[in-house]
Coordinates of all heavy atoms in Angstrom, one line a residue:
A313 N -8.3 -18.1 49.4 CA -8.2 -17.7 48.0 C -6.8 -17.2 47.8 O -6.0 -16.8 48.7 CB -9.1 -16.4 47.8
R314 N -6.3 -17.3 46.5 CA -5.0 -16.8 46.1 C -5.0 -16.1 44.8 O -5.9 -16.4 44.0 CB -4.0 -17.9 46.1 CG -4.2 -19.0 45.0 CD -3.0 -19.9 44.9 NE -2.7 -20.7 46.0 CZ -1.7 -21.5 46.1 NH1 -0.9 -21.6 45.1 NH2 -1.5 -22.2 47.2
M315 N -4.1 -15.2 44.6 CA -3.9 -14.6 43.3 C -2.4 -14.6 42.9 O -1.6 -14.1 43.7 CB -4.4 -13.1 43.3 CG -4.2 -12.3 42.1 SD -4.8 -10.7 42.2 CE -6.5 -11.0 41.7
R316 N -2.1 -15.1 41.7 CA -0.7 -15.1 41.3 C -0.4 -13.7 40.8 O -1.3 -12.8 40.6 CB -0.6 -16.1 40.2 CG -0.9 -17.5 40.5 CD 0.1 -18.1 41.5 NE 1.4 -18.1 41.0 CZ 2.0 -19.2 40.4 NH1 1.3 -20.3 40.3 NH2 3.2 -19.1 40.1
S317 N 0.8 -13.5 40.4 CA 1.3 -12.3 39.9 C 0.7 -11.9 38.6 O 0.4 -10.7 38.3 CB 2.8 -12.2 39.8 OG 3.3 -13.3 38.9
D318 N 0.3 -13.0 37.9 CA -0.4 -12.7 36.6 C -2.0 -12.6 36.7 O -2.7 -12.6 35.8 CB -0.1 -13.8 35.6 CG -0.7 -15.2 36.0 OD1 -1.2 -15.3 37.1 OD2 -0.4 -16.2 35.2
R319 N -2.4 -12.5 38.0 CA -3.8 -12.3 38.4 C -4.7 -13.6 38.3 O -5.9 -13.4 38.5 CB -4.4 -11.1 37.6 CG -3.8 -9.8 38.0 CD -4.6 -8.6 37.3 NE -4.1 -7.3 37.6 CZ -4.4 -6.6 38.7 NH1 -5.3 -7.0 39.5 NH2 -3.8 -5.4 38.9
T320 N -4.1 -14.7 38.0 CA -4.9 -15.9 38.0 C -5.3 -16.1 39.5 O -4.5 -15.9 40.4 CB -4.2 -17.1 37.4 OG1 -2.9 -17.2 38.1 CG2 -4.0 -16.9 36.0
T321 N -6.5 -16.7 39.7 CA -7.0 -16.8 41.0 C -7.5 -18.2 41.3 O -7.8 -19.0 40.4 CB -8.2 -15.9 41.2 OG1 -9.2 -16.2 40.3 CG2 -7.8 -14.5 41.2
N322 N -7.5 -18.7 42.5 CA -8.1 -19.9 43.0 C -8.8 -19.7 44.3 O -8.4 -18.8 45.1 CB -6.9 -21.0 43.1 CG -6.4 -21.5 41.8 OD1 -5.4 -20.9 41.3 ND2 -7.1 -22.4 41.2
Y323 N -9.9 -20.5 44.5 CA -10.7 -20.3 45.7 C -10.8 -21.7 46.3 O -11.0 -22.7 45.6 CB -12.0 -19.7 45.4 CG -11.9 -18.3 44.8 CD1 -11.8 -18.0 43.5 CD2 -11.9 -17.2 45.7 CE1 -11.7 -16.7 43.0 CE2 -11.9 -15.9 45.3 CZ -11.8 -15.7 43.9 OH -11.7 -14.4 43.4
A324 N -11.0 -21.7 47.6 CA -11.4 -22.9 48.3 C -12.9 -23.2 48.0 O -13.7 -22.2 47.7 CB -11.3 -22.7 49.8
D325 N -13.3 -24.4 47.9 CA -14.6 -24.8 47.5 C -15.6 -24.1 48.4 O -16.7 -23.7 48.0 CB -14.8 -26.3 47.5 CG -14.1 -27.0 46.4 OD1 -13.7 -26.3 45.4 OD2 -13.8 -28.2 46.5
S326 N -15.3 -23.9 49.7 CA -16.2 -23.4 50.7 C -16.6 -22.0 50.4 O -17.6 -21.5 51.0 CB -15.7 -23.6 52.1 OG -14.4 -22.9 52.2
V327 N -15.8 -21.3 49.6 CA -16.0 -19.8 49.4 C -16.4 -19.5 48.0 O -16.7 -18.3 47.6 CB -14.9 -18.9 49.9 CG1 -14.7 -19.3 51.4 CG2 -13.7 -19.1 49.1
K328 N -16.2 -20.4 47.0 CA -16.5 -20.2 45.6 C -17.8 -19.6 45.4 O -18.8 -20.1 45.9 CB -16.3 -21.5 44.8 CG -14.9 -21.8 44.5 CD -14.8 -23.1 43.7 CE -13.4 -23.5 43.4 NZ -13.3 -24.7 42.7
G329 N -17.9 -18.6 44.6 CA -19.2 -17.9 44.2 C -19.6 -16.9 45.3 O -20.5 -16.1 45.1
R330 N -18.9 -16.8 46.5 CA -19.3 -15.8 47.5 C -18.1 -14.8 47.8 O -18.4 -13.8 48.1 CB -19.5 -16.6 48.8 CG -20.7 -17.5 48.7 CD -21.1 -18.1 50.1 NE -20.0 -18.8 50.7 CZ -19.5 -18.5 51.9 NH1 -19.9 -17.4 52.6 NH2 -18.5 -19.2 52.5
F331 N -16.9 -15.3 47.6 CA -15.7 -14.5 47.9 C -15.0 -14.2 46.6 O -15.0 -15.0 45.6 CB -14.7 -15.2 48.8 CG -15.1 -15.4 50.2 CD1 -16.4 -15.1 50.6 CD2 -14.2 -15.7 51.2 CE1 -16.9 -15.3 52.0 CE2 -14.6 -15.9 52.5 CZ -15.9 -15.7 52.9
S332 N -14.3 -13.0 46.6 CA -13.6 -12.5 45.4 C -12.3 -11.8 45.8 O -12.4 -10.9 46.6 CB -14.5 -11.6 44.5 OG -13.7 -11.2 43.4
I333 N -11.2 -12.4 45.3 CA -9.9 -11.7 45.6 C -9.5 -10.8 44.4 O -9.7 -11.1 43.3 CB -8.8 -12.9 45.8 CG1 -7.6 -12.3 46.4 CG2 -8.6 -13.6 44.6 CD1 -6.5 -13.3 46.8
S334 N -8.9 -9.7 44.8 CA -8.5 -8.7 43.8 C -7.3 -8.0 44.3 O -7.0 -8.0 45.5 CB -9.6 -7.8 43.4 OG -10.0 -7.0 44.6
R335 N -6.7 -7.2 43.4 CA -5.4 -6.5 43.7 C -5.5 -5.2 43.0 O -5.8 -5.1 41.8 CB -4.3 -7.3 43.3 CG -2.9 -6.8 43.7 CD -1.8 -7.6 43.2 NE -1.5 -7.5 41.8 CZ -1.3 -8.5 40.9 NH1 -1.1 -9.7 41.4 NH2 -1.0 -8.2 39.7
D336 N -5.1 -4.1 43.7 CA -4.9 -2.8 43.2 C -3.5 -2.4 43.2 O -2.9 -2.2 44.3 CB -5.8 -1.8 44.0 CG -5.7 -0.4 43.4 OD1 -4.7 0.0 42.8 OD2 -6.8 0.3 43.6
N337 N -2.8 -2.5 42.0 CA -1.4 -2.3 42.0 C -1.0 -0.8 42.4 O 0.0 -0.6 43.0 CB -0.9 -2.6 40.5 CG -0.9 -4.0 40.2 OD1 -1.0 -4.9 41.2 ND2 -0.7 -4.4 39.0
D338 N -1.9 0.2 42.1 CA -1.5 1.5 42.3 C -1.5 1.7 43.8 O -0.7 2.5 44.4 CB -2.6 2.5 41.7 CG -2.4 2.5 40.2 OD1 -1.3 2.2 39.7 OD2 -3.5 2.9 39.5
K339 N -2.4 1.0 44.6 CA -2.5 1.1 46.1 C -1.7 0.1 46.8 O -1.6 0.1 48.0 CB -3.9 1.1 46.5 CG -4.8 2.2 46.0 CD -6.2 2.1 46.6 CE -7.0 3.3 46.0 NZ -8.5 3.2 46.5
N340 N -1.1 -0.8 46.0 CA -0.3 -1.9 46.5 C -1.1 -2.7 47.6 O -0.6 -3.0 48.7 CB 1.0 -1.5 47.1 CG 2.2 -2.4 46.9 OD1 2.2 -3.3 46.0 ND2 3.1 -2.4 47.8
T341 N -2.3 -3.0 47.2 CA -3.3 -3.5 48.2 C -4.0 -4.7 47.6 O -4.4 -4.7 46.4 CB -4.3 -2.5 48.7 OG1 -3.6 -1.4 49.3 CG2 -5.3 -3.0 49.6
L342 N -4.1 -5.8 48.4 CA -4.9 -6.9 48.1 C -6.2 -6.9 48.8 O -6.3 -6.4 50.0 CB -4.2 -8.1 48.6 CG -4.8 -9.5 48.2 CD1 -4.6 -9.9 46.8 CD2 -4.1 -10.6 49.1
Y343 N -7.3 -7.3 48.2 CA -8.6 -7.3 48.7 C -9.3 -8.7 48.8 O -8.9 -9.6 48.0 CB -9.6 -6.4 47.9 CG -9.1 -4.9 47.9 CD1 -8.4 -4.5 46.8 CD2 -9.3 -4.0 48.9 CE1 -8.0 -3.2 46.7 CE2 -8.8 -2.8 48.9 CZ -8.2 -2.3 47.7 OH -7.8 -1.0 47.7
L344 N -10.2 -8.8 49.7 CA -11.1 -10.0 49.7 C -12.4 -9.5 49.9 O -12.8 -9.1 51.0 CB -10.6 -11.0 50.8 CG -11.4 -12.4 50.7 CD1 -11.1 -13.1 49.5 CD2 -11.1 -13.2 52.0
Q345 N -13.3 -9.5 48.9 CA -14.7 -9.2 49.0 C -15.4 -10.5 49.4 O -15.4 -11.5 48.7 CB -15.2 -8.7 47.7 CG -16.7 -8.3 47.7 CD -17.0 -7.2 48.6 OE1 -16.3 -6.2 48.6 NE2 -18.1 -7.3 49.4
M346 N -16.1 -10.4 50.5 CA -16.8 -11.5 51.1 C -18.3 -11.2 51.1 O -18.7 -10.3 51.8 CB -16.3 -11.9 52.5 CG -14.8 -12.1 52.5 SD -14.2 -12.6 54.2 CE -14.6 -11.1 55.2
N347 N -19.0 -12.0 50.3 CA -20.5 -11.8 50.3 C -21.2 -13.0 50.8 O -20.6 -14.1 50.9 CB -21.0 -11.5 48.9 CG -20.3 -10.3 48.3 OD1 -20.1 -9.3 49.0 ND2 -20.1 -10.2 46.9
S348 N -22.5 -12.9 51.1 CA -23.3 -14.0 51.6 C -22.6 -14.7 52.7 O -22.5 -16.0 52.7 CB -23.6 -14.9 50.4 OG -24.3 -14.3 49.4
L349 N -22.1 -13.9 53.7 CA -21.3 -14.6 54.7 C -22.2 -15.5 55.6 O -23.4 -15.3 55.8 CB -20.8 -13.4 55.6 CG -19.5 -12.7 55.0 CD1 -19.2 -11.4 55.7 CD2 -18.3 -13.7 55.2
K350 N -21.5 -16.6 56.1 CA -22.2 -17.6 56.9 C -21.4 -17.6 58.2 O -20.2 -17.2 58.4 CB -22.0 -18.9 56.2 CG -22.5 -19.0 54.8 CD -22.3 -20.3 54.2 CE -22.8 -20.4 52.7 NZ -22.5 -21.7 52.1
P351 N -22.1 -18.1 59.3 CA -21.5 -18.2 60.6 C -20.1 -19.0 60.5 O -19.2 -18.7 61.3 CB -22.5 -18.9 61.5 CG -23.8 -18.5 60.8 CD -23.5 -18.4 59.4
E352 N -20.1 -20.0 59.6 CA -18.8 -20.8 59.5 C -17.7 -20.0 58.9 O -16.6 -20.6 58.8 CB -19.1 -22.1 58.8 CG -19.8 -21.9 57.4 CD -21.3 -22.1 57.5 OE1 -21.9 -21.7 58.5 OE2 -21.9 -22.8 56.6
D353 N -18.0 -18.8 58.4 CA -16.8 -17.9 57.9 C -16.1 -17.3 59.0 O -15.1 -16.6 58.8 CB -17.3 -16.9 56.9 CG -17.9 -17.6 55.6 OD1 -17.2 -18.5 55.1 OD2 -18.9 -17.1 55.1
T354 N -16.6 -17.4 60.2 CA -16.1 -16.7 61.4 C -14.7 -17.3 61.6 O -14.4 -18.5 61.7 CB -16.9 -16.9 62.6 OG1 -18.1 -16.3 62.5 CG2 -16.2 -16.3 63.9
A355 N -13.7 -16.3 61.6 CA -12.3 -16.7 61.8 C -11.4 -15.5 61.8 O -11.9 -14.4 61.5 CB -11.8 -17.6 60.6
M356 N -10.2 -15.7 62.2 CA -9.1 -14.7 62.0 C -8.7 -14.8 60.5 O -8.3 -15.9 60.2 CB -8.0 -14.8 62.9 CG -7.0 -13.7 62.9 SD -7.6 -12.1 63.5 CE -7.4 -12.4 65.2
Y357 N -8.7 -13.7 59.8 CA -8.2 -13.7 58.4 C -6.9 -13.1 58.3 O -6.6 -12.0 58.8 CB -9.2 -13.0 57.5 CG -10.5 -13.9 57.3 CD1 -11.4 -14.1 58.3 CD2 -10.7 -14.4 56.0 CE1 -12.5 -14.9 58.0 CE2 -11.8 -15.2 55.8 CZ -12.7 -15.4 56.8 OH -13.9 -16.1 56.6
Y358 N -5.9 -13.8 57.6 CA -4.6 -13.3 57.3 C -4.3 -13.2 55.8 O -4.8 -14.0 55.1 CB -3.6 -14.3 57.9 CG -3.8 -14.5 59.4 CD1 -4.6 -15.5 59.9 CD2 -3.0 -13.7 60.3 CE1 -4.7 -15.8 61.3 CE2 -3.2 -14.0 61.7 CZ -4.0 -15.0 62.2 OH -4.1 -15.3 63.5
C359 N -3.5 -12.2 55.4 CA -3.0 -12.3 54.1 C -1.5 -12.7 54.2 O -0.8 -12.5 55.2 CB -3.2 -10.9 53.4 SG -2.1 -9.6 54.0
A360 N -1.1 -13.3 53.1 CA 0.3 -13.8 53.0 C 0.8 -13.6 51.6 O 0.1 -13.6 50.7 CB 0.3 -15.3 53.4
A361 N 2.1 -13.5 51.6 CA 2.8 -13.4 50.3 C 4.0 -14.2 50.2 O 4.8 -14.4 51.1 CB 3.2 -11.9 50.2
V362 N 4.2 -14.8 49.0 CA 5.4 -15.5 48.7 C 5.8 -15.1 47.2 O 5.0 -14.9 46.3 CB 5.2 -17.0 48.9 CG1 4.1 -17.5 47.9 CG2 6.4 -17.8 48.7
A363 N 7.1 -15.0 47.0 CA 7.6 -14.6 45.7 C 7.1 -15.6 44.7 O 7.1 -16.8 44.9 CB 9.2 -14.6 45.8
D364 N 6.6 -15.0 43.6 CA 6.0 -15.8 42.6 C 7.1 -16.2 41.6 O 7.6 -15.4 40.8 CB 4.9 -15.0 41.8 CG 4.1 -15.9 41.0 OD1 4.5 -17.0 40.5 OD2 2.8 -15.7 40.9
S365 N 7.5 -17.5 41.6 CA 8.6 -18.0 40.8 C 8.1 -18.4 39.4 O 8.9 -18.6 38.5 CB 9.1 -19.3 41.4 OG 8.1 -20.3 41.5

Side-chain angles (χ1 to χ4, degrees):
R314 67 167 63 180
M315 174 177 278
R316 300 293 300 264
S317 58
D318 65 359
R319 294 186 180 272
T320 56
T321 59
N322 287 94
Y323 296 90
D325 288 343
S326 58
V327 306
K328 279 181 182 176
R330 299 189 299 122
F331 290 11
S332 178
I333 189 171
S334 61
R335 187 181 75 217
D336 186 327
N337 289 344
D338 291 339
K339 295 182 179 179
N340 213 29
T341 298
L342 182 76
Y343 300 100
L344 184 68
Q345 178 67 44
M346 305 185 296
N347 299 326
S348 302
L349 282 162
K350 303 176 181 180
E352 50 264 43
D353 294 318
T354 295
M356 184 72 79
Y357 283 72
Y358 302 89
C359 69
V362 64
D364 197 331
S365 61

